[in-house]
Amino acid sequence: MEKKLCNDLLSSINEMVAIENGEMAVNPENVHRHAIPDVKSIRKSIGMNQAEFAKIISASSATIQS
């Protein structure tokens, strides 16, 4: 099973590269978009500074700042 999983992963990586290079099209039903949350608004609404918020979500302060 491990070899099959590795081969499936490699196949997926090659497919991703082909898509990025414009060599392969993606079916629209396979494209997923996710809204980017407004971290600053969320953080402010719960009354936390960047360091506090970073700690509760296990992220670095630099990640929260960016």
Side-chain angles (χ1 to χ4, degrees), residues 4-53:
K4 181 185 179 329
L5 181 60
C6 184
N7 288 338
D8 288 347
L9 182 58
L10 185 56
S11 176
S12 295
I13 291 169
N14 288 329
E15 186 176 309
M16 176 188 68
V17 171
I19 291 167
E20 286 291 318
N21 290 335
E23 300 164 359
M24 184 177 186
V26 181
N27 293 330
E29 64 268 12
N30 293 333
V31 176
H32 304 284
R33 303 229 186 264
H34 302 280
I36 298 172
D38 186 347
V39 175
K40 186 175 185 178
S41 292
I42 295 168
R43 179 180 60 76
K44 286 189 168 199
S45 73
I46 57 177
M48 291 189 163
N49 64 35
Q50 290 177 341
E52 293 167 331
F53 190 73

